[in-house]
Amino acid sequence: MADTNAADSRGGDISVNVDMGTAGRWAPVTKLGRLVKEGKIKDLEQIYQYSLPIKEYQIVDAILPKLSDEVMKIMPVQKQTRAGQRTRFKAFVVIGDSDGHVGLGVKCSKEVATAIRGAIILAKLSIIPVRRGYWGSLLGDPHTVPSKVTGRCGSVTCRLVPAPRGTGIVAAPTPKKLLQLAGITDCYTTSRGSTRTLGNFVKATFAAIGNTYAFLTPDLWAKEEHKKGPYQEFSDILAKATEKRR
Amino acid sequence: MSKLPACLNATEEDIRYLLAAQAHIGAKNLNVKMIPYVWKRRPDGIHIINIGKTWEKLVLAARVIAAIENPSDVVVISARPYGQRAALKFASYTGAQAIAGRFTPGTFTNYITRSFKEPRLIIVTDPRTDHQAIKEASYVNIPVIALADTDSPMRFVDIAIPANNKAKHSIGLLYWMLAREVKRLKNQIPRDKPWDVMVDMFFYRDPEETEKDTEALAPTEKTPSTFPMQESTWDTENVTNDWEATGTAAIGGVNPSIVATIATNNPTSSGWDMPDADDSGGWADTTGTFTAVSESFAEPPVPVEPTTAVFDETNAFDTTGGDWADDTNNPSTGW
């Protein structure tokens, strides 16, 4: 998805943006981007509810300014050419706000810094909501996974099991980082397969975390009243924007 | 099915139009999902579509289209030539956008492409040939309305209008009816009076047909290889001379009778150079008048004196194409 240009040059010229406080002025290209910039969409949950694909990473920046990222690994990968090997660096970056949103980005590039930057962008685009629940009594804030969930990637399966408050995250360093950034306080984990392949391991736990909202529990049985999607609700604003552009 | 107000029922005229356009003629193959729309299978294998259901789905589709607040959020798509004119006309009458011809992959998914669009709804002429558009719509939450024949794949199609999508009259009529219905629902045209736009505007026209109808313009150059002329096709009112059918001319040359009719029909033409043989076709079935398409060729025509049947090629234009360049006095050798 990211093209070969440096990540920051995408989307607009560099000038100070008063509202956002981001480095450059972002000129959104997608409908969603425009709505976010106008401030019509205030949180990611609105986007998730209608399964809208996020194509511009500045959307996430605008909605979740306090994201911290963590580079899990820089992996040199090589391709054979007749003049030797061509080495590139693959960066795995996990991003999260420690309060219910995580993202995972993988990017390969000739330079480490570019790879990391690209991976951060991809991580922002892949942000996913994390559902947290209770182990026992529904006292206080949710702190653990709502149910046993599992995720697979390659040969690796990662299983997350609800834990009582105060347990902490019982996991290997790799998924531990992910779960911390997700905002899960207590969790037991089990894993199987070649967990040494960090790429697959981290993707497996990411999938498991994603499955927390894929699991239909009885409290979700109630029917939700159908509301208008943001594209429909704000179609007049979007129409104006396209008119201006034309 | 649903209890719609009576004004949305099909009138007898609508049904007659549909039948006349052969919109009820399906294909020999039948897709499982289309079974509810098929009325019967003819002994020769062709499935007949239930036109009542065609009308119902058409009305449903029109209601959906009319419900989109911004009409330009609807994109009409047709890769096949038979639907391109209809798609463009539909778009112009309803305010939608049209993608006629090649659907650039990434139009819906890649925000960097110049043709990047984010529609709320797409209308497709044929799910099979326009499958790329349908596939991309599935990536970005865009519902799909499709003109579906009995053998059309239904994957990712949300509203299927069962109809013949192989015949140009059928496609044109369907789009015409859709556009009319949308405009009626939006109260832009009245229900009691017929729409002043003719159905023919939505029909696909072969380039030859378009040539036939336009007035005197710069004539097109013919393709050297296509030249099965019969005299009858050249009958126009303006032709005063009775030309013997001199058969087809030499490759690279021009049928003398054509030349004559051109001359008589193009009084305004001032000069005419026969360009090289690498030109587009269009002469094959034209009468003496030529189409606007040929305006792209800068060469103006040279009037040829309509002489007698004895045709001396030196009279006509120089043909530089082909092997016949040397054959000056044998215009109609054995063809």
Side-chain angles (χ1 to χ4, degrees), chain A residues 1 3 10 29-31 34 50-53 55 228 231-232 235 239 246, chain B residues 67 69-70 72-73 97 108-112 116 118-120 139-141:
Chain A
M1 211 226 81
D3 48 26
R10 198 177 338 144
V29 185
T30 57
K31 274 191 196 170
R34 255 172 263 137
Y50 297 97
S51 314
L52 306 173
K55 299 266 177 186
K228 284 191 182 181
Y231 290 167
Q232 189 179 9
S235 58
R246 296 217 186 116
Chain B
E69 288 91 349
N70 187 359
S72 68
D73 275 341
Q97 297 181 4
F108 297 154
T109 48
N110 191 352
Y111 58 88
I112 295 179
F116 179 59
E118 284 180 289
R120 297 245 345 257
Y139 284 123
V140 260
N141 309 354

